[in-house]
Amino acid sequence: MTINRQSPEQNGPLKFPPNFVWGSATAAYQIEGAIAEDGRKPSIWDTFSAIPGKVLNGDTGEIACDHYHRYPEDVALMKMLNLGAYRFSIAWPRIVPDGRGAVNQQGLDFYDRLTDKLLEAGIQPYATLYHWDLPQALEDRGGWTNRETAEAYAEYADVVSRRLGDRISSYTTFNEPWCSAVLGYGLGIHAPGKQDRAAQVAATHHLLLAHGLAVPILRRNAPKAEVGITLNLWSFDPASDSAADRQAAEEGYDLDNRAYLDPLFRGKYPETYLNALAPDETIPVQAGDLETMKAPIDFLGINYYIRHVRQAVPGIPGGQDVYPPGIYTTMDWEVYPPGLYDLLVRLNNEYQIRKIYITENGSSGEEGPDEKGEVHDALRLYYLQEHLTQAHRAIQQGVPLAGYFAWSLMDNYEWAWGYTRRFGIVYVDYETQQRIIKDSGHWYARVAASNALPDYRVIYP
Ligand code: IFM
């Protein structure tokens, strides 16, 4: 890895627009720990991670980064990183531990304290209401396959936003509903671990419905806060220039991206998605649902990590992935920054989106401290730099990109990968809970402070 080489194609720092939001992101189950404290009851991730073989090394979120107790120290770290905003998620099983009914004030108190700490530090709180930790009590009644869960979610959104109101700058209803539906109910590699395509289709619908039900509630309770949703989206490229591969890439885009974008922005599911449903995969749509889902939002959050390169396979809409040579992270994810540019420009051309945030983007990498206690995470630094360069390019093309949140503030529980994959710009020693800002974090702090990418570029490898 080489640092400080002048980039031939860049003259001076790449400046971002004034008021561009620089943040970083986490999620409750991945960092909080304290799973049985102050009235919290189990979520689907407590149940799933306790099943042998579901998570690497049997890791659970029982302690994680102990953020529930260490949040003041973590907010101080954010300050050192010059963050203007912090994107965190609120754990439904702390607030309404049985999913519906009794509200747990102690759970609300925690997010109240965190919000105050952030505001005191001059950091804007960006709260996500659902980042995968459904109360187990609701899963016992069918989880997201049951329409009741959407109603329960709307009640939960009401409770949270009545208490936190517009002290929260920005509410995100859901993080990556694709993951909840596809990984959780279709493929079974995330909680609740179901492998049932019909359940996946029902879950997708109820997640989008829950979003739509919550939007007016959030607006009523927090009129000054902005409201949106975060999707995990990919750019799609064909494996070759053949018509078949190009069609496979387009179908892939429809099935994974537009299946969420179209209901949210156009009030309908795309044809490719409808045509790909098997006879038993029925969307449980009721009158008015599609109208509800397209409640106008203030922003779309995008989590971008990789692109898909698709090769046609007869009879399989969307074809199959192929893996071109290149740089891959320890998740085996290709590093492909131009895909972020392609995606942003395409979204801006195809939908009326008021404002976009990149709510997650980052790289895994398992470097630990050296003998001087420093963490040299060359690939992550390069990854952030290259994606931010593409984000800057997209802004030049008129994309209304208003902020960027590095995933993640600190190393944490990477779901089915347990603690074996690290995404933090801050290193966490899980034995001692010591935090160390990595090279990428120091670099990001300078970028956030100057609102610009430096006039030098890091070369990797
Ligand atoms: O850690 C996850 C996060 O919870 C959701 N988006 C992707 C990240 C990396 O896999």
Side-chain angles (χ1 to χ4, degrees):
M1 151 108 172
T2 313
I3 298 204
N4 284 347
R5 247 189 235 166
Q6 291 292 331
S7 160
E9 67 274 12
Q10 189 182 320
N11 289 316
L14 291 183
K15 289 219 163 290
F16 280 74
N19 303 323
F20 192 80
V21 178
W22 294 99
S24 78
T26 63
Y29 192 72
Q30 293 181 273
I31 64 164
E32 286 179 359
I35 55 169
E37 253 175 82
D38 294 341
R40 182 188 182 278
K41 287 194 180 169
S43 77
I44 53 175
W45 269 94
D46 298 288
T47 309
F48 183 76
S49 61
I51 303 170
K54 296 293 184 194
V55 175
L56 268 183
N57 303 323
D59 289 341
T60 74
E62 191 178 350
I63 299 173
C65 306
D66 195 30
H67 171 77
Y68 191 78
H69 301 113
R70 293 169 192 265
Y71 73 90
E73 179 192 340
D74 292 335
V75 173
L77 263 174
M78 297 173 209
K79 186 97 185 127
M80 286 166 71
L81 290 165
N82 301 320
L83 301 187
Y86 172 52
R87 174 177 181 256
F88 59 98
S89 82
I90 295 178
W92 186 349
R94 288 196 194 283
I95 311 296
V96 191
D98 295 311
R100 274 195 122 157
V103 172
N104 177 31
Q105 293 302 328
Q106 286 177 293
L108 282 169
D109 291 346
F110 170 68
Y111 296 105
D112 208 78
R113 291 194 296 274
L114 173 63
T115 301
D116 282 348
K117 250 299 160 250
L118 290 165
L119 292 172
E120 249 171 65
I123 298 168
Q124 295 180 60
Y126 277 55
T128 299
L129 292 174
Y130 187 80
H131 197 127
W132 308 353
D133 43 359
L134 185 71
Q136 181 60 41
L138 289 175
E139 183 55 39
D140 295 342
R141 300 204 289 274
W144 287 110
T145 67
N146 183 350
R147 192 177 176 92
E148 184 211 352
T149 299
E151 290 154 15
Y153 174 85
E155 293 160 9
Y156 154 68
D158 184 38
V159 168
V160 172
S161 54
R162 272 178 198 272
R163 175 71 175 267
L164 299 177
D166 24 54
R167 282 187 296 147
I168 297 293
S169 316
S170 180
Y171 284 98
T172 298
T173 53
F174 282 88
N175 179 72
E176 303 180 346
W178 180 95
C179 291
S180 294
V182 177
L183 304 182
Y185 290 88
L187 300 176
I189 55 180
H190 275 189
K194 304 270 185 280
Q195 286 178 290
D196 177 348
R197 275 267 313 171
Q200 172 189 315
V201 170
T204 300
H205 187 74
H206 294 139
L207 285 154
L208 292 168
L209 175 65
H211 158 82
L213 291 173
V215 169
I217 294 170
L218 296 168
R219 292 206 185 286
R220 184 190 67 215
N221 294 344
K224 291 199 217 111
E226 49 178 32
V227 178
I229 187 170
T230 279
L231 302 178
N232 51 312
L233 299 174
W234 299 269
S235 58
F236 283 78
D237 287 328
S240 77
D241 206 28
S242 74
D245 286 354
R246 281 191 274 118
Q247 185 182 335
E250 276 311 297
E251 288 170 353
Y253 190 90
D254 289 356
L255 293 173
D256 286 333
N257 291 354
R258 286 186 54 214
Y260 294 81
L261 290 161
D262 280 12
L264 291 170
F265 290 102
R266 297 179 177 159
K268 60 180 188 172
Y269 286 100
E271 286 300 310
T272 319
Y273 181 76
L274 296 174
N275 294 338
L277 296 175
D280 67 326
E281 294 165 9
T282 318
I283 301 177
V285 62
Q286 293 190 10
D289 284 3
L290 293 166
E291 199 53 39
T292 302
M293 288 174 184
K294 72 165 196 209
I297 49 177
D298 301 313
F299 70 90
L300 174 68
I302 292 168
N303 293 353
Y304 174 84
Y305 290 91
I306 49 168
R307 67 166 168 172
H308 283 293
V309 180
R310 286 293 167 88
Q311 186 172 60
V313 179
I316 301 190
Q320 67 182 15
D321 281 315
V322 295
Y323 301 93
I327 302 172
Y328 283 76
T329 71
T330 56
M331 295 289 281
D332 283 336
W333 291 354
E334 185 198 8
V335 179
Y336 189 69
L340 176 61
Y341 171 84
D342 296 344
L343 176 65
L344 288 168
V345 169
R346 181 167 183 177
L347 289 170
N348 193 40
N349 287 339
E350 293 183 351
Y351 299 93
Q352 302 289 315
I353 306 177
R354 293 182 195 166
K355 190 196 264 196
I356 298 178
Y357 292 112
I358 296 167
T359 37
E360 285 183 28
N361 177 240
S363 168
S364 63
E366 283 62 68
E367 311 75 12
D370 66 8
E371 61 292 345
K372 289 201 237 145
E374 295 169 356
V375 183
H376 303 300
D377 56 337
L379 177 56
R380 183 171 300 100
L381 197 163
Y382 172 79
Y383 185 102
L384 297 180
Q385 165 192 272
E386 293 305 302
H387 284 83
L388 279 165
T389 303
Q390 296 297 330
H392 186 273
R393 225 180 117 210
I395 295 170
Q396 305 312 302
Q397 290 304 310
V399 173
L401 184 65
Y404 177 93
F405 292 76
W407 183 267
S408 177
L409 171 68
M410 56 187 154
D411 296 339
N412 58 48
Y413 182 73
E414 179 53 27
W415 309 109
W417 294 92
Y419 295 99
T420 66
R421 297 293 184 277
R422 292 174 178 267
F423 277 84
I425 55 174
V426 172
Y427 175 84
V428 176
D429 178 331
Y430 295 115
E431 294 297 311
T432 63
Q433 292 295 346
Q434 189 197 0
R435 278 83 159 126
I436 302 172
I437 299 178
K438 302 180 189 178
D439 284 355
S440 60
H442 290 297
W443 177 87
Y444 191 63
R446 288 195 293 277
V447 169
S450 59
N451 195 34
L453 293 179
D455 59 359
Y456 63 82
R457 293 280 282 280
V458 168
I459 311 293
Y460 182 90

